Amino acid sequence: MPPSASQVAVRAEALVKTFGSTRALDGVDLEIPAGTVLGLLGPNGAGKTTTVRILTTLLRPDSGRAFVAGHDVVADPQAVRRSIGLSGQYAAVDEYLTGYENLYMVGRLYGLSRSAAGSRSRELLSRFRLQEAADRTAKTYSGGMRRRLDLAGALVAEPAVVVLDEPTTGLDPRGRLETWDVIGELVADGATVLLTTQYLEEADHLADTILVMDRGKVIASGTADQLKATVGGERLEIVVAEVAELAMTSQVLAAVGCDEPTVDDHARRVSVTVDTGPKALVEALRRLDQESVGVLDVALHRSTLDDVFLSLTGHAVEDEPAAEPAGKRKGKKGASR
């Protein structure tokens, strides 16, 4: 039986999807209670976008089941599409239409009357702080303005579930913060949000629950605090002058830390979890000095989601090469308009 939409807005069970020899999803489970934000975190190729495409009916799973707003994504895709708003990684707006015309067109495509589409467009333009640019063509908009217009388009039909696939990719810091504000407004209004992101800070800031994905599998889940607690302690990081010094630095940090050090050859950085804080830092520097290791930078900080990911996978979120097929990424129009 499908889950109750009043309690669980989105549920996926054992999703599997392969592309040739690539297993993009390998038994993915997830659940989003209504009115909450689930952050799907992982590098390119982890399976985030494939998950989104299945949940928004753009792809069929090879096996497993998924329900959105109580509707089976395979058996009843039209009902799913009527229940969702999708904003893809790239803003899907018509550059030669004004902001108002973009939203009005979406409203009409959804079947709204002329008056309803017009009033809803004006309402959303005001809500997303675009009313002063409503009659300008979208090609004159900044990146942040286009993203806000794109998000507004995903909300024209007041969907039960909003899917945001890496919504801040390519935005400058100001645009990212503006998008965070928009997502915060959605949540305050009771929307259910599925957010995929490569940005650990974004997931930490926005998500009620976080699923960490890597190589097509969910490798951890919980609140940000619960995930950080799995790492424990503080994180000691040492940046050295030469790549050849990484091996000795790793040995030293293994001796003062409480888990296996993580080595980043490109950044010439070694990090490890410590439970004695400054004492571990002082001891590490003393030993490295004895070994004549050239230390360029030292940091001691509380565990972050980045530390969680490093601990779970051995690599940073941005370090993993893409494994999902490159193919043309479909925008939100394919699923929700």
Side-chain angles (χ1 to χ4, degrees):
M1 293 293 291
S4 170
S6 63
Q7 299 174 356
V8 178
V10 179
R11 176 176 291 162
E13 302 170 353
L15 292 180
V16 172
K17 185 66 181 178
T18 58
F19 299 95
S21 61
T22 300
R23 199 170 180 87
L25 296 184
D26 191 10
V28 169
D29 298 316
L30 65 82
E31 186 173 287
I32 314 177
T36 67
V37 180
L38 175 70
L40 205 54
L41 177 66
N44 285 331
K48 304 186 307 296
T49 295
T50 299
T51 301
V52 165
R53 288 174 174 173
I54 288 173
L55 293 175
T56 55
T57 76
L58 294 174
L59 282 176
R60 292 172 64 98
D62 295 335
S63 62
R65 303 191 307 165
F67 300 93
V68 176
H71 307 292
D72 188 306
V73 299
V74 173
D76 198 359
Q78 292 298 333
V80 172
R81 292 167 189 160
R82 288 192 295 268
S83 303
I84 63 174
L86 172 61
S87 180
Q89 182 177 345
Y90 306 103
V93 300
D94 190 320
E95 293 188 345
Y96 296 98
L97 297 180
T98 66
Y100 172 81
E101 289 168 342
N102 265 279
L103 298 186
Y104 179 83
M105 176 184 67
V106 173
R108 294 293 287 159
L109 289 173
Y110 266 118
L112 300 182
S113 67
R114 288 187 176 88
S115 61
S119 61
R120 181 65 172 159
S121 297
R122 294 296 181 190
E123 173 190 344
L124 288 169
L125 287 165
S126 176
R127 178 178 175 184
F128 286 85
R129 302 185 299 281
L130 291 169
Q131 62 269 37
E132 293 184 2
D135 298 320
R136 284 168 38 197
T137 56
K139 66 181 178 181
T140 68
Y141 285 16
S142 67
M145 292 170 70
R146 288 181 185 223
R147 174 55 65 202
R148 295 204 304 274
L149 182 62
D150 185 63
L151 289 170
L155 301 180
V156 167
E158 301 183 80
V161 177
V162 181
V163 181
L164 307 176
D165 187 15
E166 300 187 16
T168 62
T169 295
L171 294 185
D172 58 23
R174 179 178 178 181
R176 184 168 297 152
L177 290 174
E178 288 178 344
T179 303
W180 287 9
D181 288 342
V182 169
I183 295 170
E185 292 171 7
L186 295 179
V187 177
D189 288 344
T192 300
V193 178
L194 171 59
L195 169 73
T196 78
T197 182
Q198 296 181 64
Y199 301 117
L200 298 128
E201 182 185 6
E202 188 162 273
D204 200 350
H205 183 79
L206 295 171
D208 296 298
T209 306
I210 297 170
L211 261 62
V212 182
M213 294 188 69
D214 194 36
R215 305 178 192 275
K217 296 182 178 181
V218 175
I219 59 174
S221 64
T223 66
D225 287 341
Q226 287 171 339
L227 292 174
K228 292 174 189 176
T230 64
V231 177
E234 296 175 293
R235 197 77 178 172
L236 173 60
E237 296 182 348
I238 304 284
V239 178
V240 296
E242 303 292 338
V243 172
E245 297 172 319
L246 289 172
M248 176 56 66
T249 305
S250 182
Q251 291 180 29
V252 170
L253 264 60
V256 303
C258 49
D259 62 6
E260 187 71 21
T262 300
V263 180
D264 184 337
D265 291 340
H266 180 71
R268 303 191 306 281
R269 179 175 60 234
V270 183
S271 60
V272 72
T273 301
V274 296
D275 54 14
T276 56
K279 287 182 61 177
L281 184 153
V282 171
E283 178 63 14
L285 292 178
R286 184 185 69 80
R287 296 190 185 192
L288 291 171
D289 183 60
Q290 288 179 342
E291 299 293 340
S292 299
V293 173
V295 175
L296 296 183
D297 195 15
V298 180
L300 181 67
H301 59 80
R302 293 180 60 191
S303 295
T304 65
L305 286 178
D306 202 6
D307 299 325
V308 172
F309 203 89
L310 282 168
S311 176
L312 291 169
T313 69
H315 61 80
V317 169
E318 66 272 16
D319 289 344
E320 186 72 3
E324 292 180 83
K328 184 178 180 182
R329 184 185 292 250
K330 294 185 181 180
K332 68 185 175 209
K333 292 183 180 179
S336 63
R337 298 188 184 174

